[in-house]
Amino acid sequence: MAKLFLVPTPVGNLADLTYRAESVLREADLILAEDTRTSGKLLQHYGIETPCRSYHQFNEHKICQQVVDMLKQGQDIAVITDAGTPGISDPGFLLARACVQEDIEVECLPGATAFVPALVQSGLPCERFAFEGFLPHQKGRNARLEQLKFQERTFILYESPHRIAKTLQQLVQVLGGERKACLCREISKIYAENKRGTLQELADFYGQHEAKGEMVLVVEGCPRTAYTYPYPRPALTADFILLAQLPDQSRYLLLIKRQNEPFKDCFAFPGGFVDESETLEWAAVRELREETGIRLKDYGVIPSFFRPYSEPERDPRGRTVTMVYHASIKCESLPDVQGGDDATQAAWFPIEKLPPLAFDHERIWKEFCSR
């Protein structure tokens, strides 16, 4: 059977195309290009005459099945974008997912992507990091910024030159101006530049100077614990709101039934105590896996912060501070789940017919739905 190749292309210098990428593009039966005019310059530079067809965010849903059918007929197809790796803030994911579902082999070649060199040359910690891509332009932008406020890892944003000044000012307002940051411009091109400083310094500079070229912004993670409490430290827990949406648009909430007192036989969100060596996010994902069997990485989604809450009277063992995370998955049928750890049962419930929820989870759920 034929194969779908996801082929990284240079983010600046045309010489960054690998020998193997050139070979795949030359031997493929068809190249799907985000912009055939932009890609045409690269292909012409290497003397590649493989037929090209447009494949971009405005037509990828429409032609996805057509491409899958071509692959089934035995054609090797390569996907490229204007620059970088397909699927990373560019078209590619939908087609790759469709091919996986049809048991068509998918291979992504190693190669250029803008955020890796930006992260490494920033001088900021890079052993753990969060890639955020482009921020939402309008809806959800403020919520995403609030989430970044508590991000403990170095995080990376893509941004265009005409929005960078606004983005830097907003980051200063939400995160504070003292965070260290590095703005990498025109990576691997002749006028490549790395400008380092605090968020406030970068915001001041680009508030007075015109920005040119595509930009990658690398920002220091939260330098201190997002929430601090006077000694003795209260118990820390992490809860998870996981929603599933089926093709008929029906939505389900994953709940567990507790087995231990004082919440025995109560339905609640998956969750539990945070170990001293864990981040809150890691603990939330771990508890979800241990109590239901669901692994978020199997669905290609990441947890999103909702909010912290503290109810001194909810837990007879002492004051508990809880961070709530959430995620939503789209699936053909509800994933199998099973109770584990402190859960005797794990089950999906239609959001219109939820059972009574334990302690303050009823209020948390209503707040989540109304946000």
Side-chain angles (χ1 to χ4, degrees), residues 323-338:
M323 187 74 79
V324 185
Y325 289 88
H326 68 95
S328 181
I329 59 176
K330 293 184 178 181
C331 43
E332 295 297 320
S333 60
L334 292 174
D336 292 333
V337 293
Q338 58 184 9

PDB file of all heavy atoms in Angstrom, residues 323-338:
ATOM      1  N   MET A 323      -7.050  21.992  42.174  1.00  0.00           N
ATOM      2  CA  MET A 323      -6.959  22.601  40.852  1.00  0.00           C
ATOM      3  C   MET A 323      -7.775  21.742  39.889  1.00  0.00           C
ATOM      4  O   MET A 323      -7.645  20.510  39.891  1.00  0.00           O
ATOM      5  CB  MET A 323      -5.504  22.657  40.388  1.00  0.00           C
ATOM      6  CG  MET A 323      -5.306  23.420  39.094  1.00  0.00           C
ATOM      7  SD  MET A 323      -5.459  25.197  39.321  1.00  0.00           S
ATOM      8  CE  MET A 323      -3.854  25.554  40.017  1.00  0.00           C
ATOM      9  N   VAL A 324      -8.610  22.381  39.099  1.00  0.00           N
ATOM     10  CA  VAL A 324      -9.458  21.660  38.152  1.00  0.00           C
ATOM     11  C   VAL A 324      -8.888  21.809  36.747  1.00  0.00           C
ATOM     12  O   VAL A 324      -8.617  22.927  36.308  1.00  0.00           O
ATOM     13  CB  VAL A 324     -10.904  22.192  38.179  1.00  0.00           C
ATOM     14  CG1 VAL A 324     -11.792  21.335  37.284  1.00  0.00           C
ATOM     15  CG2 VAL A 324     -11.447  22.209  39.597  1.00  0.00           C
ATOM     16  N   TYR A 325      -8.723  20.701  36.069  1.00  0.00           N
ATOM     17  CA  TYR A 325      -8.315  20.702  34.668  1.00  0.00           C
ATOM     18  C   TYR A 325      -9.439  20.112  33.826  1.00  0.00           C
ATOM     19  O   TYR A 325     -10.321  19.416  34.329  1.00  0.00           O
ATOM     20  CB  TYR A 325      -7.037  19.877  34.479  1.00  0.00           C
ATOM     21  CG  TYR A 325      -5.817  20.538  35.062  1.00  0.00           C
ATOM     22  CD1 TYR A 325      -5.463  20.331  36.388  1.00  0.00           C
ATOM     23  CD2 TYR A 325      -5.038  21.388  34.298  1.00  0.00           C
ATOM     24  CE1 TYR A 325      -4.348  20.946  36.936  1.00  0.00           C
ATOM     25  CE2 TYR A 325      -3.924  22.015  34.832  1.00  0.00           C
ATOM     26  CZ  TYR A 325      -3.587  21.783  36.148  1.00  0.00           C
ATOM     27  OH  TYR A 325      -2.482  22.413  36.682  1.00  0.00           O
ATOM     28  N   HIS A 326      -9.397  20.386  32.539  1.00  0.00           N
ATOM     29  CA  HIS A 326     -10.440  19.839  31.671  1.00  0.00           C
ATOM     30  C   HIS A 326      -9.874  19.560  30.284  1.00  0.00           C
ATOM     31  O   HIS A 326      -8.823  20.094  29.892  1.00  0.00           O
ATOM     32  CB  HIS A 326     -11.634  20.805  31.565  1.00  0.00           C
ATOM     33  CG  HIS A 326     -11.325  22.072  30.823  1.00  0.00           C
ATOM     34  ND1 HIS A 326     -11.578  22.234  29.474  1.00  0.00           N
ATOM     35  CD2 HIS A 326     -10.753  23.230  31.232  1.00  0.00           C
ATOM     36  CE1 HIS A 326     -11.204  23.448  29.108  1.00  0.00           C
ATOM     37  NE2 HIS A 326     -10.698  24.070  30.141  1.00  0.00           N
ATOM     38  N   ALA A 327     -10.573  18.724  29.533  1.00  0.00           N
ATOM     39  CA  ALA A 327     -10.219  18.428  28.150  1.00  0.00           C
ATOM     40  C   ALA A 327     -11.459  17.864  27.482  1.00  0.00           C
ATOM     41  O   ALA A 327     -12.394  17.393  28.143  1.00  0.00           O
ATOM     42  CB  ALA A 327      -9.062  17.436  28.066  1.00  0.00           C
ATOM     43  N   SER A 328     -11.480  17.920  26.160  1.00  0.00           N
ATOM     44  CA  SER A 328     -12.601  17.397  25.391  1.00  0.00           C
ATOM     45  C   SER A 328     -12.060  16.542  24.254  1.00  0.00           C
ATOM     46  O   SER A 328     -11.087  16.927  23.596  1.00  0.00           O
ATOM     47  CB  SER A 328     -13.456  18.542  24.831  1.00  0.00           C
ATOM     48  OG  SER A 328     -14.552  18.040  24.097  1.00  0.00           O
ATOM     49  N   ILE A 329     -12.651  15.377  24.047  1.00  0.00           N
ATOM     50  CA  ILE A 329     -12.228  14.503  22.963  1.00  0.00           C
ATOM     51  C   ILE A 329     -13.409  14.252  22.030  1.00  0.00           C
ATOM     52  O   ILE A 329     -14.560  14.209  22.460  1.00  0.00           O
ATOM     53  CB  ILE A 329     -11.678  13.162  23.489  1.00  0.00           C
ATOM     54  CG1 ILE A 329     -12.730  12.416  24.330  1.00  0.00           C
ATOM     55  CG2 ILE A 329     -10.420  13.401  24.313  1.00  0.00           C
ATOM     56  CD1 ILE A 329     -12.274  11.038  24.788  1.00  0.00           C
ATOM     57  N   LYS A 330     -13.118  14.105  20.750  1.00  0.00           N
ATOM     58  CA  LYS A 330     -14.128  13.734  19.762  1.00  0.00           C
ATOM     59  C   LYS A 330     -13.851  12.301  19.339  1.00  0.00           C
ATOM     60  O   LYS A 330     -12.715  11.948  19.030  1.00  0.00           O
ATOM     61  CB  LYS A 330     -14.080  14.669  18.567  1.00  0.00           C
ATOM     62  CG  LYS A 330     -14.498  16.096  18.888  1.00  0.00           C
ATOM     63  CD  LYS A 330     -14.528  16.964  17.642  1.00  0.00           C
ATOM     64  CE  LYS A 330     -14.995  18.368  17.976  1.00  0.00           C
ATOM     65  NZ  LYS A 330     -15.045  19.237  16.760  1.00  0.00           N
ATOM     66  N   CYS A 331     -14.883  11.473  19.323  1.00  0.00           N
ATOM     67  CA  CYS A 331     -14.675  10.058  19.052  1.00  0.00           C
ATOM     68  C   CYS A 331     -15.921   9.459  18.386  1.00  0.00           C
ATOM     69  O   CYS A 331     -17.027  10.017  18.482  1.00  0.00           O
ATOM     70  CB  CYS A 331     -14.341   9.308  20.337  1.00  0.00           C
ATOM     71  SG  CYS A 331     -15.344   9.770  21.759  1.00  0.00           S
ATOM     72  N   GLU A 332     -15.707   8.342  17.691  1.00  0.00           N
ATOM     73  CA  GLU A 332     -16.807   7.657  17.014  1.00  0.00           C
ATOM     74  C   GLU A 332     -17.728   6.968  18.014  1.00  0.00           C
ATOM     75  O   GLU A 332     -18.934   6.883  17.816  1.00  0.00           O
ATOM     76  CB  GLU A 332     -16.246   6.641  16.022  1.00  0.00           C
ATOM     77  CG  GLU A 332     -15.470   7.254  14.870  1.00  0.00           C
ATOM     78  CD  GLU A 332     -16.344   8.143  14.003  1.00  0.00           C
ATOM     79  OE1 GLU A 332     -17.506   7.769  13.748  1.00  0.00           O
ATOM     80  OE2 GLU A 332     -15.856   9.207  13.577  1.00  0.00           O
ATOM     81  N   SER A 333     -17.157   6.455  19.082  1.00  0.00           N
ATOM     82  CA  SER A 333     -17.940   5.823  20.142  1.00  0.00           C
ATOM     83  C   SER A 333     -17.248   6.096  21.473  1.00  0.00           C
ATOM     84  O   SER A 333     -16.058   6.430  21.504  1.00  0.00           O
ATOM     85  CB  SER A 333     -18.054   4.313  19.909  1.00  0.00           C
ATOM     86  OG  SER A 333     -16.773   3.716  19.882  1.00  0.00           O
ATOM     87  N   LEU A 334     -17.976   5.961  22.547  1.00  0.00           N
ATOM     88  CA  LEU A 334     -17.420   6.273  23.855  1.00  0.00           C
ATOM     89  C   LEU A 334     -16.293   5.303  24.204  1.00  0.00           C
ATOM     90  O   LEU A 334     -16.460   4.084  24.091  1.00  0.00           O
ATOM     91  CB  LEU A 334     -18.509   6.210  24.925  1.00  0.00           C
ATOM     92  CG  LEU A 334     -19.580   7.302  24.840  1.00  0.00           C
ATOM     93  CD1 LEU A 334     -20.680   7.051  25.865  1.00  0.00           C
ATOM     94  CD2 LEU A 334     -18.973   8.681  25.059  1.00  0.00           C
ATOM     95  N   PRO A 335     -15.146   5.826  24.619  1.00  0.00           N
ATOM     96  CA  PRO A 335     -14.024   4.949  24.978  1.00  0.00           C
ATOM     97  C   PRO A 335     -14.381   4.048  26.163  1.00  0.00           C
ATOM     98  O   PRO A 335     -15.135   4.442  27.059  1.00  0.00           O
ATOM     99  CB  PRO A 335     -12.906   5.942  25.347  1.00  0.00           C
ATOM    100  CG  PRO A 335     -13.284   7.234  24.702  1.00  0.00           C
ATOM    101  CD  PRO A 335     -14.776   7.251  24.698  1.00  0.00           C
ATOM    102  N   ASP A 336     -13.817   2.853  26.160  1.00  0.00           N
ATOM    103  CA  ASP A 336     -14.005   1.952  27.299  1.00  0.00           C
ATOM    104  C   ASP A 336     -13.307   2.520  28.526  1.00  0.00           C
ATOM    105  O   ASP A 336     -12.194   3.048  28.437  1.00  0.00           O
ATOM    106  CB  ASP A 336     -13.433   0.573  26.988  1.00  0.00           C
ATOM    107  CG  ASP A 336     -14.221  -0.144  25.906  1.00  0.00           C
ATOM    108  OD1 ASP A 336     -15.419   0.141  25.760  1.00  0.00           O
ATOM    109  OD2 ASP A 336     -13.613  -0.976  25.197  1.00  0.00           O
ATOM    110  N   VAL A 337     -13.963   2.439  29.661  1.00  0.00           N
ATOM    111  CA  VAL A 337     -13.374   2.901  30.911  1.00  0.00           C
ATOM    112  C   VAL A 337     -13.625   1.862  31.991  1.00  0.00           C
ATOM    113  O   VAL A 337     -14.559   1.057  31.899  1.00  0.00           O
ATOM    114  CB  VAL A 337     -13.964   4.269  31.359  1.00  0.00           C
ATOM    115  CG1 VAL A 337     -13.553   5.369  30.402  1.00  0.00           C
ATOM    116  CG2 VAL A 337     -15.491   4.202  31.475  1.00  0.00           C
ATOM    117  N   GLN A 338     -12.791   1.887  33.001  1.00  0.00           N
ATOM    118  CA  GLN A 338     -12.981   0.972  34.130  1.00  0.00           C
ATOM    119  C   GLN A 338     -12.444   1.621  35.397  1.00  0.00           C
ATOM    120  O   GLN A 338     -11.469   2.366  35.356  1.00  0.00           O
ATOM    121  CB  GLN A 338     -12.262  -0.353  33.872  1.00  0.00           C
ATOM    122  CG  GLN A 338     -10.772  -0.215  33.614  1.00  0.00           C
ATOM    123  CD  GLN A 338     -10.121  -1.532  33.279  1.00  0.00           C
ATOM    124  OE1 GLN A 338     -10.805  -2.539  33.081  1.00  0.00           O
ATOM    125  NE2 GLN A 338      -8.803  -1.549  33.231  1.00  0.00           N
TER     126      GLN A 338
END
